[in-house]
Amino acid sequence: GALCGGFANSWNELFDTASACCAGKLSWIPRSTCVAQSTKTAVASSGQWFVDWSLEKCVKDCDNSADVDCGGIANTWDQLHASSGACCERIWYVDDCTKGSSR
């Protein structure tokens, strides 16, 4: 198929799914990014929060420009947080810590 990388060598470890491979061998890459790149599909955003250090604000992992808190798709090195509050703990010294809040 289109995603076939050729015949595996005897020393290659094989996985049933891209997700299993990503979890087993590429755990430092966000799973959604790894699977999308492995299967040549669009990267799905998580909706979680991460610090955009250039803004010193917490932003959402998303690609919705209508959302004032959206910061684009997170990079593999961005630490994701389940809530804006958890993210804001990383930049505790900033009063209005989310992108949508005024300074």
Side-chain angles (χ1 to χ4, degrees), residues 60-84:
K60 280 188 203 171
D61 173 25
C62 63
D63 60 357
N64 179 1
S65 60
D67 184 343
V68 296
D69 286 319
C70 186
I73 302 296
N75 292 301
T76 57
W77 56 81
D78 290 317
Q79 183 178 355
L80 298 175
H81 304 275
S83 68
S84 60

Side-chain angles (χ1 to χ4, degrees), residues 47-51 58-60 69 79-84 87 98:
Q48 292 187 315
W49 294 79
F50 66 97
V51 177
C58 287
V59 296
K60 280 188 203 171
D69 286 319
Q79 183 178 355
L80 298 175
H81 304 275
S83 68
S84 60
C87 179
T98 60

Side-chain angles (χ1 to χ4, degrees), residues 8-96:
N9 294 309
S10 60
W11 58 84
N12 293 128
E13 185 174 355
L14 301 178
F15 296 87
D16 290 332
T17 64
S19 183
C21 178
C22 292
K25 294 296 182 181
L26 302 166
S27 60
W28 64 92
I29 300 174
R31 179 93 44 99
S32 62
T33 301
C34 181
V35 170
Q37 290 177 347
S38 299
T39 58
K40 308 238 187 271
T41 58
V43 177
S45 60
S46 69
Q48 292 187 315
W49 294 79
F50 66 97
V51 177
D52 180 332
W53 292 104
S54 67
L55 299 174
E56 285 194 319
K57 296 281 187 177
C58 287
V59 296
K60 280 188 203 171
D61 173 25
C62 63
D63 60 357
N64 179 1
S65 60
D67 184 343
V68 296
D69 286 319
C70 186
I73 302 296
N75 292 301
T76 57
W77 56 81
D78 290 317
Q79 183 178 355
L80 298 175
H81 304 275
S83 68
S84 60
C87 179
C88 289
E89 288 178 13
R90 295 278 321 269
I91 52 173
W92 53 268
Y93 49 88
V94 176
D95 289 332
D96 297 317

